[in-house]
Structures are given as C-alpha cells and as structure tokens.
Amino acid sequence: MSDDPVKSLIEELGAQLSQKEHSDVVLNNGKGKQFLIAPSEFCEIKQTESPRKIAFVDGGDGPLEESPNYLITINRVYYSLFQGKKRIKPKENPRVQFFSYVTSNIETVDGKKNVSYNTRLFPHSSEDKKYLPLESDLTSNTESTSVLQGARLNSLGRRFAEWQLAIHVVESELSAGDMLVVDGSLQTNFKNEIKYAKRLYDLAMKKGVIICGLAKTSRLITESGDPLLARVAEIAEDVSFGKWHVKIAEEVSSDDRGFMMAVKFHEKSRFVFRFEILREQFEAMNEEEINSVLDSLAQNSQDVAMIGYPYGAIDADRFAQVRMDELNMYKGFILSEMLKRPEWKRLQKYSASLSAHDVLNGVTS
C-alpha cells in the first residue's frame, strides 16, 4: 500500500469496482418483469411529423425559519406547456405559491412517545388556494425522538401541491393524446400521497392524457451493483443510433405505478434519464404510440442550455425553484413580522438552537 492515503483509496476502490461481473438487469423491489439490458434491446426514437402537446409540472421550496419543533417554508409549483419547440400559453396563471408551517405535538400512546406533525398552508393569493392539498392529508406520525428531522417535512406541502396542480392541468389544459410529465418518477413516498396520485391517474386515463415521469437522477443499481443509468450508457456505446429507449422493468417498487425505461433524447447528449409511463397506459400502447410519446419529448430536447433534456422541464424547474436571493428576501419578511410581536422574542430562541453550526461555518470558512 502506498504512503499516500488518497492514492491508495482510489487505486483500491477502482480495482474493486472494475473486477465485478455484470448482471444487466435492474435490482428492484417490485413484482413486475425485469428486462435484460443489451444492445439488441435498444429501440431507436424515430422522428414524427406531429409532436404531442406536453405539460411539464415541477415544484420548489425553501426553509425560511426552523427549530426542533417548528418549520416555516415557502413553496412554489409551476407548469409549462409545449408542443415540440413551440411554447403554448396556459389558460390560467401557471405558478402557485404558498407559505407553510409544520409544528410537532408529542403524545403518549400505550406507554410510547409519539410525535405527530401538523401542517398549515397559507396561499400567496386567493387564486392559489384552490390548488392546495387538504391540510388534514399532510399529518404524519413517528416514534423518532429527533423531532422535525429526517422526515422531509420541508417538501411535504410542495409535493402534494404538485399532484394537485397536475390534476388541474389535466382537467383544464390537456386533451386526449396529450402528455403530462412530472419531475421524478411516478412513485409515492408519503402517507396519503397515493390518494392524490390515484386521482390524477384515474382522471388522465378517463380523458386519454398520458402520464409520464422524467427523473434527472437515479440511485437504482443493477443486480451486480453497477449504477443503472451509467451501465445503460456503457451498453449503449454498442448501439448504432443516437436517440433511443430501452425497457428496464414493468415495476421497480410496489409504490411506483410507472413502466420504467431508460432514454436518450439527443444524439449529442451526455445524459441518460429514467423515464416512466403510467403502467396501464404503456401496456395499452403499440410501438408506434410509444415512439410518438418519446419523440415528442426528443423534439423538445434540443436547447443548448442542456441538450438532450426537455426544455419544458428546464422552464418548469426555473420558474418553480426558490432562488437564494428570494429566500433571503422572504426570510427578511418573516423576521420583520416576528419582531413586531412580543411572543416571538422568546420563540426565536427556539430557532437559535439550530443556528450555532451556521455561525461556526461563518467564522471558520
């Protein structure tokens, strides 16, 4: 072993990762069929004459004030409409914004301490209110003693609002044959989330709107432990066409309703993405219809800002995210309002219990 620990680490890890035999199927927790990933299984995405109309839905959030027993967040959800490269003007304001707070309540049940989280939502305008989820659906419980830690509560309200906005978009903006693309997979992670997802899926199937999920990143691995998308890209080096899709699995987990593929939308792109179509809809499609869905996205994926990634998704991300300068501005609004109220002189000490690390970073960085 070298005296240089970094050299030794990289040398040993590289050797260990390189010596694996490949098993090119996804490692999954679902019950559906997995597909062998091989060059012969890749299908070319062929250009079509008339791309489908696509709605892209995304959301963003940012913490404004937090302590071990409360969290204040700003949330934003947004949708954009495109057909090929052409932007389509939405019928209504496409951006919804709201503030939220989460508080914790501790109860003893059968001798155990249970922590429940309750969320309140405050729409930016009266028009935004109709797109918000029910507050009662955002309650959650845990036996963890780390209150407001590790539960991803900061994104809970925003995530549910994305589903609610998607339902509105399918209702008012899309018709049979159109597509709705959500950011990420079609997997549900939170209590009560499946209720909103099911409402969206049922409505979409009734109207004939195709529901898709496009994930920028993936932590999925193959059965031999290789990163799935990186391994797909490696196998694709032996494929002769530049735009393609390959089937991965009918179901990767029991809480994911999507049929999963890996896709590449532009021959000059460096990126391979996880892409899903609602399983019931995918199974009813023929190859021509699948190609039409994928080429509609490929025709929207030619912007040099991130070639190979749909511009509609870039646009949705841009207008949904809460930027750092905005976050600081809203933090100022929150602090200003707190200073007007005498009870917050005491309550601000609660948030101070989480601020020492930030202060230390400011001193030592």
Side-chain angles (χ1 to χ4, degrees), residues 2 20 24 67 91 168 204 227 245 274 295 344 363:
S2 167
K20 288 184 177 181
D24 293 324
S67 85
K91 296 175 183 176
H168 163 73
H245 72 277
R274 171 181 176 175
D295 183 59
W344 277 100
V363 172

Side-chain angles (χ1 to χ4, degrees), residues 46-104:
K46 298 176 181 178
Q47 186 162 347
T48 57
E49 292 297 322
S50 302
R52 298 170 186 257
K53 181 179 178 181
I54 309 174
F56 297 89
V57 176
D58 202 355
D61 57 70
L64 299 177
E65 184 79 7
E66 60 182 316
S67 85
N69 66 336
Y70 74 85
L71 172 68
I72 302 174
T73 306
I74 181 172
N75 309 270
R76 192 175 285 159
V77 291
Y78 175 87
Y79 71 93
S80 60
L81 298 170
F82 283 83
Q83 189 164 16
K85 298 179 182 179
K86 179 185 175 184
R87 182 190 291 272
I88 298 172
K89 185 178 180 180
K91 296 175 183 176
E92 299 182 48
N93 179 14
R95 189 158 79 168
V96 176
Q97 184 167 290
F98 62 99
F99 297 91
S100 62
Y101 74 70
V102 183
T103 54
S104 57

Side-chain angles (χ1 to χ4, degrees), residues 278-332:
L278 186 63
R279 192 157 47 250
E280 294 91 329
Q281 294 179 321
F282 180 89
E283 290 169 350
M285 290 180 180
N286 58 36
E287 289 300 322
E288 185 178 338
E289 290 169 325
I290 294 169
N291 182 77
S292 171
V293 167
L294 295 169
D295 183 59
S296 296
L297 285 162
Q299 291 193 40
N300 188 249
S301 302
Q302 301 178 39
D303 191 90
V304 293
M306 188 175 176
I307 199 162
Y309 188 66
Y311 181 76
I314 296 173
D315 180 77
D317 179 86
R318 176 184 295 125
F319 287 101
Q321 68 176 252
V322 181
R323 295 180 178 83
M324 190 58 67
D325 58 341
E326 290 182 289
L327 201 60
N328 290 332
M329 177 185 71
Y330 284 114
K331 283 181 177 180

Side-chain angles (χ1 to χ4, degrees), residues 56-288:
F56 297 89
V57 176
D58 202 355
D61 57 70
L64 299 177
E65 184 79 7
E66 60 182 316
S67 85
N69 66 336
Y70 74 85
L71 172 68
I72 302 174
T73 306
I74 181 172
N75 309 270
R76 192 175 285 159
V77 291
Y78 175 87
Y79 71 93
S80 60
L81 298 170
F82 283 83
Q83 189 164 16
K85 298 179 182 179
K86 179 185 175 184
R87 182 190 291 272
I88 298 172
K89 185 178 180 180
K91 296 175 183 176
E92 299 182 48
N93 179 14
R95 189 158 79 168
V96 176
Q97 184 167 290
F98 62 99
F99 297 91
S100 62
Y101 74 70
V102 183
T103 54
S104 57
N105 182 49
I106 301 174
E107 297 177 327
T108 302
V109 179
D110 296 329
K112 290 184 178 180
K113 298 291 185 183
N114 282 344
V115 182
S116 62
Y117 301 110
N118 299 304
T119 301
R120 291 273 287 129
L121 308 178
F122 298 82
H124 192 259
S125 69
S126 57
E127 186 65 19
D128 291 337
K129 186 175 182 179
K130 65 183 179 182
Y131 303 117
L132 301 189
L134 293 174
E135 292 175 350
S136 58
D137 288 332
L138 304 179
T139 58
S140 59
N141 298 278
T142 180
E143 293 180 6
S144 171
T145 56
S146 298
V147 180
L148 283 176
Q149 294 292 313
R152 293 178 294 170
L153 290 170
N154 58 321
S155 62
L156 186 63
R158 183 264 299 168
R159 176 65 175 165
F160 277 62
E162 284 181 37
W163 289 111
Q164 192 76 340
L165 183 63
I167 292 167
H168 163 73
V169 172
V170 171
E171 284 177 335
S172 63
E173 298 278 10
L174 302 178
S175 304
D178 294 340
M179 300 163 54
L180 182 135
V181 179
V182 299
D183 179 48
S185 69
L186 301 183
Q187 188 172 5
T188 51
N189 298 305
F190 298 106
K191 175 189 172 185
N192 294 327
E193 189 179 1
I194 186 62
K195 180 165 68 175
Y196 289 78
K198 186 178 185 303
R199 195 178 303 158
L200 171 65
Y201 300 155
D202 289 348
L203 175 64
M205 286 189 285
K206 183 178 179 180
K207 288 193 69 173
V209 174
I210 301 162
I211 301 297
C212 309
L214 179 64
K216 295 183 285 291
T217 59
S218 173
R219 293 187 177 276
L220 292 174
I221 58 175
T222 67
E223 288 189 346
S224 54
D226 297 304
L228 175 67
L229 296 184
R231 181 60 186 150
V232 170
E234 194 172 33
I235 295 169
E237 292 174 4
D238 294 324
V239 173
S240 60
F241 29 82
K243 296 183 297 181
W244 46 257
H245 72 277
V246 62
K247 295 178 181 178
I248 301 297
E250 291 177 342
E251 177 185 299
V252 290
S253 66
S254 59
D255 54 2
D256 192 327
R257 290 276 298 273
F259 186 106
M260 183 185 166
M261 294 173 275
V263 296
K264 184 179 179 183
F265 288 132
H266 197 284
E267 57 272 12
K268 293 183 179 179
S269 174
R270 298 183 292 112
F271 302 106
V272 175
F273 300 112
R274 171 181 176 175
F275 182 71
E276 296 181 353
I277 298 175
L278 186 63
R279 192 157 47 250
E280 294 91 329
Q281 294 179 321
F282 180 89
E283 290 169 350
M285 290 180 180
N286 58 36
E287 289 300 322
E288 185 178 338

